[in-house]
């Protein structure tokens, strides 16, 4: 049984505000936005975290980075944006399905 929150969102079992979807990628608004635009971009295939990216599954990551400029354009992020990935406990990861935070819509702080 797959108990992963983001797998359930991708499957439509838990609601989300979708902003983009293709064969490999799903993107939706973060429930607790940290910027005017805060989108989570995730692979449809379950990969737990960045540390689990390998030769076997990295094509899904490439698809995410192909989708990001399209999402950024659709969200009006013409002046730039930030992409963040949290990996593991020290990285602050709370949901263990690989995701990239796409943040923008204002000048973001230079500190992390
Ligand atoms: P991270 O801390 O990098 O693992 O990010 C997990 C993100 O998922 C946080 O920014 C949460 O606000 C977000 N989040 C958690 N549950 C949901 C949900 N049901 N829908 C949308 N975003 C969520
Ligand atoms: Zn998952």
């Amino acid at each position: 049984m797959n108990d992963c929150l983001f797998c359930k969102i991708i499957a439509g079992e838990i609601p989300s505000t979708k902003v983009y979807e293709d064969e490999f990628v799903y993107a939706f608004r973060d429930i607790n936005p940290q910027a005017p635009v805060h989108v989570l971009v995730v692979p449809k295939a379950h990969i737990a975290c960045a540390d689990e990216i390998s030769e076997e599954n990295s094509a899904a990551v490439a698809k995410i980075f192909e989708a990001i400029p399209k999402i950024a354009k659709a969200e009006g992020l013409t002046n730039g944006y930030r992409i963040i990935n949290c990996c593991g406990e020290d990285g602050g990861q709370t949901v263990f399905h690989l995701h990239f935070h796409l943040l923008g819509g204002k000048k973001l702080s230079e500190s992390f």
Side-chain angles (χ1 to χ4, degrees):
M1 191 178 119
N2 185 353
D3 237 2
C4 170
L5 173 64
F6 288 175
C7 280
K8 287 180 179 167
I9 284 177
I10 293 160
E13 294 165 15
I14 291 175
S16 67
T17 306
K18 179 172 82 174
V19 299
Y20 177 87
E21 182 174 16
D22 65 30
E23 188 181 348
F24 304 100
V25 177
Y26 190 83
F28 55 103
R29 297 202 188 283
D30 195 293
I31 206 168
N32 183 23
Q34 304 298 309
V37 174
H38 188 170
V39 171
L40 299 175
V41 191
V42 312
K44 285 189 170 175
H46 181 87
I47 301 171
C49 62
D51 204 44
E52 290 202 354
I53 297 169
S54 65
E55 277 183 32
E56 283 68 44
N57 62 23
S58 63
V61 181
K63 293 294 182 189
I64 285 175
F65 279 84
E66 289 169 26
I68 283 173
K70 298 179 197 172
I71 299 165
K73 190 173 182 193
E75 294 290 324
L77 302 180
T78 53
N79 206 37
Y81 48 85
R82 184 171 293 166
I83 301 162
I84 294 175
N85 171 257
C86 302
C87 179
E89 197 180 336
D90 279 5
Q93 186 175 9
T94 60
V95 178
F96 284 79
H97 180 126
L98 180 67
H99 54 280
F100 294 88
H101 298 256
L102 173 61
L103 296 152
K106 70 172 186 183
K107 172 84 175 150
L108 298 166
S109 140
E110 286 175 20
S111 61
F112 285 97

